[in-house]
Amino acid sequence: MALISDTSRGDWLRQRAGHWATAGGVAGTGLEAYARVLHPLPAHREDLRAFDGWGGHPIVEHRAWTWAELAALNGRHVHPLVQWVRLSGEEPPQGIEFEDGWTVGPPEEGQLDSAILAALTEHLGRATTTPDDLVAAVWNGWGDLNGGSASGSFVVGEPSEEQLRQLQEHAERRRLREAAVADALGGPTFEWPGREFHLMSASLALFAEPDWLDTASVDVWPAAGHTPQMLWSEDHSWVLATEIDWDFTIVAGSHGLIDGVLEDPRFEAFAIADSDDLTWSGDAVNSGGQA
């Protein structure tokens, strides 16, 4: 895997760029069919009868919820154009707390869960003749990829020599990682309407393991810690797109590919058109957060 300096490999897709805030605006227009895959809802349950040392309730359970599970509780509706802020009634996007101790959502924006991506590779692999020749695009605006992120560590009271040594080692490891990432991502970027991306070569085999983000080195995957915002096969048979401000992913390709995704119970997915309105306003069913 390596950074792609020839950004013209994305010209075919850029020529298909549709209107912003539509599936065609992030995955290109003119493919046979489109699916919208909703990102899972992170959820945890607190034991409201117990207290920890800080006066809070201990968390006793974690699991992912579907959007349909939430809708069944709050009387709203999941449909192809559903939006989290309309479904949850919370704007800006935030989690919902229930009386039984569960806190649900919001779904992650801009990143596709690696386990979901791994499951999608099964369908994507059957729909391309070039599974080992993919182009992946990662947004160049992530802070940890462009030097714009910041982190800190602290200790209570006067730090010991050992604590100082650990802090210095942590800072040096971070510096070396950022230098390696900056070196790996040097070169031209691919311009898409409203976005710029680093392009890199990839294969479906890389994404097929759910823990690939934890094991891939910078040499294997230069954009350490991030799933692709765009991914397409070199035979141009399909496109996968996760816009950085969206909590869902678009899969575009043949009718057979999209039918397979829609029928797979591992995904909460809906068929949409490349011109559908995917803004918050597009959810007319739950408009204004009303059932």
Side-chain angles (χ1 to χ4, degrees), residues 46-181:
E46 298 177 347
D47 183 353
L48 301 181
R49 300 167 298 178
F51 295 89
D52 58 26
W54 299 94
H57 301 296
I59 295 175
V60 294
E61 186 176 357
H62 287 271
R63 74 172 179 88
W65 281 37
T66 65
W67 295 42
E69 286 181 276
L70 177 63
L73 289 179
N74 69 4
R76 294 174 183 150
H77 308 281
V78 176
H79 59 96
L81 303 184
V82 64
Q83 293 289 329
W84 171 254
V85 295
R86 300 293 185 246
L87 182 69
S88 66
E90 300 290 342
E91 185 178 340
Q94 55 188 298
I96 303 175
E97 296 182 358
F98 291 96
E99 293 182 355
D100 61 359
W102 278 103
T103 298
V104 182
E108 187 170 10
E109 296 180 346
Q111 292 270 83
L112 177 59
D113 182 88
S114 59
I116 298 296
L117 178 54
L120 282 171
T121 63
E122 299 173 21
H123 297 276
L124 298 173
R126 291 191 290 267
T128 180
T129 61
T130 60
D132 297 323
D133 191 3
L134 310 182
V135 176
V138 176
W139 183 48
N140 74 338
W142 296 118
D144 57 335
L145 301 185
N146 63 20
S149 65
S151 68
S153 302
F154 68 92
V155 295
V156 178
E158 188 71 21
S160 65
E161 290 186 5
E162 176 62 18
Q163 288 173 325
L164 284 174
R165 184 187 65 78
Q166 292 177 354
L167 291 173
Q168 291 169 347
E169 289 181 352
H170 173 77
E172 179 63 10
R173 287 195 300 269
R174 180 178 177 82
R175 185 191 68 79
L176 292 173
R177 177 192 177 279
E178 290 182 343
V181 170

